[in-house]
Amino acid sequence: MRICIAGASGAFGMKHMDAIAAIEGAEVVSVVGTKIDAIKAFAEQRGVPHYTTDLAESLARDDVDAVILATPTQMHAAQTIQCLEAGKHVMSEIPMADNIEDARKVVEVQKKTGLVAMAGHTRRFNPSHQWIHNKIMAGELTVQQMDVQTYFFRRSNKNALGQARSWTDHLLWHHACHTVDLFQYQTGETASKVQALQGPIHPELGIAMDMSIGMKVPNGAICTLSLSFNNDGPFGTFFRYICDNGTYIARYDDLFDGSENKIDLSGVAVSNNGIELQDREFIAAIQEGRAPNACVTQAIEAMETLHRLEECLED
């Protein structure tokens, strides 16, 4: 499987570079960046044979089978469509779009082409959340509440590596997207009731720095999500599952019970790296000619809920 990674030298692009390197039979053959000197140096350092600042150049190559997009949020929908129309399978980091109209267009093009188009909902693949999901599917757990905190200290426009960003991140369409999708995935239902509040708009960034989201699915399970770019402390997203048969705390690829006893996840998957497992699913779906877990036709459900939450914020 010969893969192009767009945004390869960014924070998440490098995570995908490392993930593909761990997958037998897969290799990165092309990387796309914004500055030619920087992406050339990156390609030479990583041993990638082709580099460019133009995604179309990579899409025109016969030795590119599929594309991973680790590019700015605002580019995801247009680039996903560009890849599909060029005949390439594609996985985009979340969100698949930053508005519902573009998300629906992505689904429309995927159905038209029949190619694999996947949204990078890593939480579905983290061993911690997989362990919970397996218990739910086996009838051993039922989620009653998910209590989630997504916290960063990002009062200036920087990425996860502390580098200056050329685009502005968003608590709703990016960071809340993880939890909205995961809550609906774990409960197996789409939220029937939603509510959302946001704090003051940052005078320079033009975005809300704090947000509170509530969701309820028809079976009665609820989710409470707090998000902030103002939190001065450990950053990331932390999930508390309050279930009918136990409480569990998920921190990325690690899982603890309600008393902070670590749970052994060694038998859950072939790797303990959620991004590697996500990339493995993408590649396997292409090879097996099937829809992947987190196909855009599944991910659109989270986008529809985000759209309803945005309407709450506007009200």
Side-chain angles (χ1 to χ4, degrees):
M1 188 62 57
R2 301 164 299 181
I3 294 173
C4 164
I5 299 181
S9 61
F12 269 81
M14 287 191 282
K15 290 180 183 290
H16 286 291
M17 290 288 299
D18 294 339
I20 297 301
I23 301 173
E24 185 177 357
E27 63 176 327
V28 178
V29 298
S30 177
V31 289
V32 184
T34 56
K35 298 179 180 179
I36 191 63
D37 290 342
I39 197 63
K40 177 178 183 292
F42 181 82
E44 291 174 348
Q45 178 187 5
R46 292 288 188 132
V48 179
H50 177 259
Y51 59 88
T52 181
T53 57
D54 184 2
L55 176 60
E57 182 180 323
S58 293
L59 296 179
R61 295 179 64 89
D62 292 335
D63 63 347
V64 170
D65 301 312
V67 180
I68 294 175
L69 299 174
T71 50
T73 292
Q74 294 85 348
M75 302 172 72
H76 289 176
Q79 288 183 331
T80 297
I81 291 169
Q82 182 183 2
C83 292
L84 291 172
E85 291 181 338
K88 307 296 185 183
H89 305 285
V90 58
M91 176 171 64
S92 168
E93 274 297 330
I94 71 161
M96 58 190 278
D98 62 355
N99 62 79
I100 194 59
E101 291 80 12
D102 285 348
R104 291 168 180 163
K105 181 65 182 299
V106 168
V107 172
E108 178 186 327
V109 176
Q110 186 281 322
K111 289 180 177 179
K112 180 180 178 181
T113 63
L115 295 166
V116 170
M118 178 177 169
H121 285 288
T122 312
R123 299 294 174 263
R124 294 189 180 204
F125 300 96
N126 290 120
S128 52
H129 299 295
Q130 277 203 52
W131 189 94
I132 295 287
H133 192 72
N134 293 342
K135 294 285 186 182
I136 293 170
M137 292 297 99
E140 299 174 16
L141 286 180
T142 299
V143 175
Q144 296 177 322
Q145 179 179 181
M146 284 176 61
D147 186 82
V148 186
Q149 298 175 332
T150 295
Y151 291 156
F152 299 90
F153 190 64
R154 191 172 292 169
R155 293 177 179 172
S156 57
N157 206 13
K158 296 181 179 179
N159 66 14
L161 297 177
Q163 301 166 338
R165 263 203 174 115
S166 60
W167 55 283
T168 304
D169 206 355
H170 201 279
L171 286 176
L172 178 66
W173 283 101
H174 178 191
H175 295 287
C177 186
H178 283 291
T179 299
V180 169
D181 178 77
L182 184 65
F183 176 59
Q184 296 184 155
Y185 178 66
Q186 298 291 45
T187 59
E189 297 187 344
T190 301
S192 53
K193 295 182 178 180
V194 299
Q195 60 186 27
L197 296 170
Q198 65 183 9
I201 303 299
H202 191 281
E204 296 175 4
L205 298 178
I207 57 172
M209 303 293 282
D210 294 276
M211 194 172 292
S212 174
I213 288 172
M215 295 176 285
K216 183 176 183 178
V217 291
N219 71 16
I222 63 173
C223 177
T224 302
L225 170 61
S226 171
L227 308 105
S228 181
F229 283 147
N230 276 321
N231 185 69
D232 191 359
F235 72 87
T237 303
F238 312 103
F239 301 81
R240 180 179 292 270
Y241 288 92
I242 301 173
C243 304
D244 60 340
N245 188 23
T247 293
Y248 302 93
I249 303 163
R251 301 185 180 101
Y252 291 98
D253 295 310
D254 294 321
L255 185 67
F256 304 83
D257 67 19
S259 299
E260 292 286 351
N261 298 305
K262 192 170 185 178
I263 294 174
D264 181 11
L265 302 175
S266 58
V268 173
V270 297
S271 169
N272 65 355
N273 182 325
I275 291 178
E276 179 188 329
L277 295 172
Q278 168 187 314
D279 290 356
R280 285 180 179 275
E281 171 66 4
F282 177 52
I283 291 168
I286 296 169
Q287 293 173 331
E288 297 166 14
R290 60 171 174 83
N293 185 2
C295 177
V296 295
T297 56
Q298 299 171 8
I300 189 66
E301 295 180 7
M303 306 303 289
E304 295 285 357
T305 300
L306 288 170
H307 175 60
R308 291 164 57 208
L309 287 164
E310 184 174 60
E311 291 178 326
C312 291
L313 295 177
E314 291 172 351
D315 289 342

